[in-house]
Amino acid sequence: RGPSTDAMFSGLTQGAVSESSLELNIKGKKRSVLVLVPPGSKIEAVIVYVSLPCFIPISLQKQAVETIAKYLCASFKAKMFVLYEDSFDIPQINSVEDWGHEMSSVIEALPFQGKFVFVDNSLGKGIPSIWKLESRLSACVIINPFAWFNDEFYGSPAHQGILQTISASLQPYVDRNVDECVKTVGNVCFAESTEDIDRAVSLYKEAMKVASDNWWLLQLFGPSHLQDFQPFCKSLPKLGEVPVVLLCGSFSSPVMVRETASRFAGIMLNAGISYIQDSNMWFEVEGEIPIKSVAYTLTQVMQHEGRPFKVSELVAKTLLHRKTQTGPT
């Protein structure tokens, strides 16, 4: 990695954070939320971080999320609410619109008022909430938005083939067959060696053993998302001047992720695309550099928190926007 990248990351500094669990009661049902705060600091900013990435239980995400919080919370006197699989009434969610209502309800029930920075790491499940909560958003970072296809591809034999492949690949999750589920790792995790894959597989097995029922149910949304997300996105109006960074793995799929980011950038008036270095879809387990890439982008956003800024200027000042790597189609 070049010296300019090292210099860029050298500006990241970690501080202490304390973690607690917040229990919300929404419509008579309990929701769990993780809360990360810098000890002893007067809170000046709020981050809502939706952590529903591709196939990863919360236990396998926590180290990466806590590391990001250490970079952000002390430096910006920020409280971070982390929403994960047990924050939502997943059995009652049946559509993209349902996700929008459910996520907005949880966010609105959190114990704070005013604006916040919204981080959506959910393959796009949080995107409907951006329009619902637009007036409260000081900025957004959307990580690996997924499956807004072009009109020619949507409904084509190739699209139907992907739907069939994804549906078949989810049977181990229906059966909760951990040994079969780990076969998905190579499709979503960037690795430079077989040892990297073996490590990820081992971590994934252990995380699935303690995953909640909600997490197992969450994995079954893949086919409906691939079918329903594109028409929903086409119905969205243009988003106003809310700053939005669309943050994609540098080795993520061009069709599934990077083209999706480009389409969102086309309907968001103040958006730009940046990249997670050395990452496909699993930055949480791909190593130090991907985690630092995400943290660096978020620190750049937080430096403007509460003040209007142009995302195009922000990404132009980083190296992360340079797409020097290509991923599979």
Side-chain angles (χ1 to χ4, degrees):
R1 296 172 179 91
S4 55
T5 300
D6 294 338
M8 180 172 64
F9 290 155
S10 69
L12 293 170
T13 57
Q14 290 194 25
V17 295
S18 62
E19 177 187 322
S20 61
S21 181
L22 171 67
E23 301 294 338
L24 301 175
N25 188 303
I26 300 175
K27 298 179 181 178
K29 295 186 178 181
K30 186 173 70 174
R31 318 299 178 83
S32 298
V33 177
L34 296 178
V35 184
L36 298 163
V37 297
S41 295
K42 180 182 178 181
I43 299 302
E44 297 180 358
V46 172
I47 302 164
V48 176
Y49 188 111
V50 177
S51 200
L52 302 172
C54 185
F55 295 131
I56 309 182
I58 186 61
S59 63
L60 190 50
Q61 305 170 47
K62 280 188 73 174
Q63 184 175 354
V65 173
E66 289 170 358
T67 299
I68 290 169
K70 288 176 181 177
Y71 285 124
L72 297 176
C73 292
S75 297
F76 301 101
K77 298 181 179 178
K79 176 182 287 188
M80 180 185 289
F81 294 99
V82 181
L83 311 186
Y84 62 106
E85 52 264 24
D86 290 337
S87 305
F88 306 104
D89 189 9
I90 290 177
Q92 299 303 312
I93 299 173
N94 297 298
S95 66
V96 178
E97 291 85 354
D98 286 350
W99 272 111
H101 293 304
E102 174 70 6
M103 201 167 291
S104 298
S105 295
V106 174
I107 292 171
E108 288 170 340
L110 294 172
F112 75 96
Q113 301 295 320
K115 295 200 172 221
F116 62 96
V117 172
F118 183 44
V119 182
D120 177 34
N121 183 21
S122 69
L123 302 179
K125 296 179 184 67
I127 284 175
S129 299
I130 294 174
W131 273 260
K132 289 180 177 295
L133 301 171
E134 180 177 356
S135 64
R136 293 188 63 191
L137 301 179
S138 55
C140 299
V141 177
I142 303 172
I143 300 174
N144 290 323
F146 194 76
W148 183 354
F149 304 115
N150 66 39
D151 291 341
E152 291 74 22
F153 181 81
Y154 183 77
S156 69
H159 177 237
Q160 294 303 313
I162 289 177
L163 280 172
Q164 292 170 9
T165 299
I166 294 292
S167 297
S169 72
L170 293 180
Q171 189 58 47
Y173 292 92
V174 175
D175 300 333
R176 302 193 182 188
N177 185 333
V178 168
D179 290 330
E180 288 296 313
C181 290
V182 297
K183 294 179 180 179
T184 62
V185 169
N187 296 326
V188 291
C189 183
F190 171 76
E192 296 184 294
S193 67
T194 56
E195 289 79 10
D196 288 343
I197 289 292
D198 291 343
R199 170 184 163 274
V201 165
S202 177
L203 291 170
Y204 194 32
K205 279 187 175 182
E206 293 306 308
M208 284 189 285
K209 290 176 183 178
V210 296
S212 69
D213 289 343
N214 263 354
W215 181 79
W216 288 101
L217 287 174
L218 179 67
Q219 309 320 304
L220 307 185
F221 278 89
S224 63
H225 184 85
L226 290 172
Q227 186 68 42
D228 301 338
F229 196 56
Q230 195 258 13
F232 172 82
C233 292
K234 288 189 66 178
S235 73
L236 290 169
K238 287 189 178 295
L239 187 71
E241 289 298 327
V242 175
V244 181
V245 178
L246 296 142
L247 188 58
C248 307
S250 58
F251 284 91
S252 61
S253 165
V255 172
M256 293 289 196
V257 176
R258 286 183 266 162
E259 289 183 11
T260 297
S262 295
R263 291 187 180 94
F264 276 116
I267 66 168
M268 295 171 167
L269 300 181
N270 187 13
I273 300 173
S274 192
Y275 295 91
I276 307 170
Q277 293 186 9
D278 296 354
S279 179
N280 184 351
M281 298 285 287
W282 269 23
F283 81 84
E284 295 89 346
V285 295
E286 290 166 335
E288 180 183 23
I289 291 299
I291 294 172
K292 282 188 172 181
S293 292
V294 174
Y296 179 79
T297 299
L298 290 172
T299 60
Q300 298 304 298
V301 171
M302 291 299 294
Q303 285 175 4
H304 297 275
E305 204 278 328
R307 306 188 312 275
F309 66 96
K310 292 293 183 184
V311 173
S312 59
E313 296 175 3
L314 183 149
V315 298
K317 293 176 182 177
T318 75
L319 298 181
L320 299 180
H321 76 293
R322 295 182 180 173
K323 188 170 59 177
T324 58
Q325 299 137 324
T326 58
T329 59

